[in-house]
Amino acid sequence: MTESFDAVDVIRTKRDGGALSPEQIDWVVDAYTRGVVAEEQMSALAMAIFLNGMDRGEIVRWTQAMIRSGERMDFSALARPTADKHSTGGVGDKITLPLAPLVAVFGVAVPQLSGRGLGHTGGTLDKLESVPGWRAALSNAEILGQLDEVGAVICAAGSGLAPADKKLYALRDTTATVEAIPLIASSIMSKKIAEGTDSLVLDVKVGSGAFMKDLARAGELARTMVALGADAGVRTVALLTDMSTPLGLTVGNALEVRESVEVLAGGGPGDVVDLTLALAREMLDAAGRPDADAEAALRDGRAMDVWRQMIAAQGGDPDADLPVARHQEQVLAESDGVLTGLDAYAVGVASWRLGAGRARKEDPVQAVAGIELHAKPGDRVRRGEPLMTLHTDTPERFARAKEALDGGVVVDAQAEGSAPGRRGIVLDRVAG
Ligand code: URA
């Protein structure tokens, strides 16, 4: 086959700060998926995009080309409206677990095609695989069947969905080109548009544990994604939410499932409950259920009922005990004072080093590894009290995990009086 462009010319255009033509974009995405554009050429192009950006027209075209690289799912046969949520990734972010069954209570179908963790952020599938028997891989027919019967499904995105993104995401991860707004926006939105949901709520994380460290960049990412969704006919809203400190009191796979079940039982930490409800309200609103009382469905057990059906439908035993680490070690406060710093990135890396995350896609994860927090920023602590408990099956990992926490946990002995107030979890909202 004769190729319409030369990869070197495409790279040079972007390297020199030009805009890629629609034809160049269509070709380079397709040729990369076919293996004609080599990995080293795409990594040079990704770096040129990282450094020089893309205009709105380029981002739209790039996203469309990634969608066209694979199949599109079709939920139009379902009797219920569909709503999906996507988080840009954080530490202790287990929200999908209580959220999907909660929204399904109100007759909305929630297809959560999820991924695995890479680096310091956790992955929803890794978390759910700590439930004995639970199965992540479902066929498209099984996904549709479960949405029809239970209303919610959390499973692996099939390999047919946006294969260009699968290749490109793995490449970006190893070439320091993940944090580019055009590349993140097109990566996320190509998968979500190909999935075929009617409406989408984005949870764009801001802070040390997120890709976007400040509110201005997170706002730009959110606006870019909301516009891409609107262009494709998907009702899209974004919440910008705090990821300067871990979400909830647990980080790590089985530990996070345990906390999610607490939320579904009407308890759980305030920030996890607040964010679950804020995202649920947005999804219900977008799906035409503005009067649904999500708080009541957590309180009265309806969300828990759907969770149990959802887990059982995928072979999991909702009554089985979750695995617990063979080794645990506490990190103690060295002085009296107020916990003023509990850095999300530091805790994420520590949990990863304990075995909760993977360095390469093919690495196994420990279901039991992770961190249980006993204090959050603003809490008063006393010398010798445990600030957190580290969990792992491989105790030789404790030392490196503790190194990651160096400087990330700050107790201010001088802080007097009442503990400083915590800022709300939702920082801003972007709608089309
Ligand atoms: N999540 C994705 O799916 N893609 C990105 O580029 C970043 C986060």
Side-chain angles (χ1 to χ4, degrees), residues 40-52:
E40 62 271 21
Q41 292 176 314
M42 189 49 114
S43 54
L45 182 59
M47 186 57 81
I49 294 169
F50 182 96
L51 295 173
N52 292 325

Side-chain angles (χ1 to χ4, degrees), residues 87-425:
S87 157
T88 56
V91 178
D93 183 2
K94 71 273 301 168
I95 300 294
T96 296
L97 277 55
L99 181 66
L102 172 59
V103 172
V105 165
F106 299 96
V108 177
V110 187
Q112 285 287 164
L113 305 190
S114 304
R116 295 180 188 282
L118 199 61
H120 74 281
T121 63
T124 299
L125 302 180
D126 296 331
K127 294 171 199 188
L128 279 170
E129 279 178 349
S130 59
V131 177
W134 186 84
R135 185 165 64 90
L138 299 185
S139 68
N140 289 355
E142 285 174 316
I143 294 173
L144 274 169
Q146 190 169 324
L147 284 173
D148 209 27
E149 280 159 36
V150 179
V153 61
I154 304 176
C155 64
S159 57
L161 214 62
D165 178 63
K166 287 210 172 57
K167 261 186 105 175
L168 183 55
Y169 192 74
L171 179 74
R172 287 165 56 211
D173 199 54
T174 54
T175 55
T177 51
V178 169
E179 300 91 338
I181 287 175
L183 296 178
I184 297 179
S186 54
S187 164
I188 292 175
M189 294 308 293
S190 62
K191 286 175 286 202
K192 292 294 145 180
I193 295 167
E195 175 195 296
T197 183
D198 299 327
S199 57
L200 173 65
V201 177
L202 297 162
D203 180 2
V204 179
K205 301 287 187 198
V206 190
S208 72
F211 291 126
M212 297 293 128
K213 310 292 179 201
D214 63 76
L215 202 53
R217 298 247 312 144
E220 192 188 332
L221 175 62
R223 284 189 296 277
T224 307
M225 291 196 288
V226 167
L228 284 171
D231 280 353
V234 180
R235 277 188 301 280
T236 309
V237 173
L239 296 185
L240 274 61
T241 71
D242 185 31
M243 189 30 69
S244 57
T245 203
L247 199 49
L249 293 170
T250 58
V251 180
N253 303 315
L255 291 168
E256 293 192 40
V257 173
R258 190 189 77 194
E259 190 168 88
S260 303
V261 173
E262 285 166 20
V263 171
L264 287 159
D271 56 351
V272 179
V273 175
D274 287 353
L275 185 52
T276 303
L277 288 174
L279 291 164
R281 287 183 191 122
E282 293 289 355
M283 289 169 77
L284 290 164
D285 207 27
R289 308 277 193 277
D291 299 325
D293 186 349
E295 206 168 348
L298 282 184
R299 238 187 356 251
D300 62 21
R302 279 176 293 160
M304 179 70 97
D305 290 344
V306 178
W307 160 264
R308 294 173 61 80
Q309 291 166 31
M310 180 182 85
I311 294 296
Q314 289 170 249
D317 177 356
D319 296 315
D321 288 336
L322 292 166
V324 177
R326 284 198 293 274
H327 301 272
Q328 301 180 6
E329 203 167 298
Q330 291 185 327
V331 175
L332 307 179
E334 289 172 5
S335 63
D336 291 357
V338 173
L339 183 67
T340 51
L342 183 63
D343 184 73
Y345 182 71
V347 175
V349 173
S351 171
W352 173 39
R353 289 185 180 174
L354 288 167
R358 54 172 70 74
R360 288 169 308 152
K361 279 209 304 280
E362 49 289 349
D363 291 347
V365 295
Q366 287 185 23
V368 295
I371 299 182
E372 218 177 334
L373 303 170
H374 306 300
K376 291 288 289 266
D379 286 349
R380 212 154 256 299
V381 296
R382 299 196 73 81
R383 182 165 183 268
E385 262 178 19
L387 294 176
M388 58 182 85
T389 304
L390 312 183
H391 293 240
T392 184
D393 271 349
T394 37
E396 58 276 17
R397 292 172 178 262
F398 282 129
R400 292 259 299 139
K402 284 196 214 153
E403 267 171 39
L405 293 168
D406 270 355
V409 184
V410 183
V411 174
D412 185 348
Q414 308 304 323
E416 301 266 353
S418 62
R422 291 176 188 152
R423 62 178 179 167
I425 188 87

